[in-house]
Amino acid sequence: PSASMEGVITRGDGTPAPQVAIALAGFWSPNPGGNMGAPAGVLDAETDQKGYYRIEGVDSGKSYTVSVLSPDGEPLTSKI
């Protein structure tokens, strides 16, 4: 089944981080406890002016690596 992931990205001082790229790189493992498996694609989004993002089409049967890229290289946090 498909789900979504959403959250808010903030700067170190707690203010919203707009225009930040979020990417989920998915992997599919054919058997429980198996290796990471084959790449299954990338889902992405960009935060709005309030730091909010939503990514649709997240498959509950896959493992994902989350990447966050700030335009200015500042460390960021996310509440999911």
Side-chain angles (χ1 to χ4, degrees):
S2 182
S4 62
M5 181 177 120
E6 62 185 309
V8 176
I9 303 291
T10 57
R11 300 180 190 284
D13 63 4
T15 59
Q19 298 176 327
V20 171
I22 313 293
L24 294 180
F27 295 90
W28 176 78
S29 183
N31 47 354
N35 61 20
M36 189 67 111
V42 175
L43 303 171
D44 60 359
E46 185 174 288
T47 59
D48 64 13
Q49 291 301 316
K50 295 179 181 179
Y52 173 80
Y53 68 92
R54 182 177 178 92
I55 300 175
E56 300 285 343
V58 179
D59 188 340
S60 61
K62 294 184 179 122
S63 297
Y64 290 91
T65 299
V66 180
S67 300
V68 179
L69 180 61
S70 167
D72 58 7
E74 180 180 358
L76 304 170
T77 60
S78 176
K79 292 184 180 178
I80 300 172

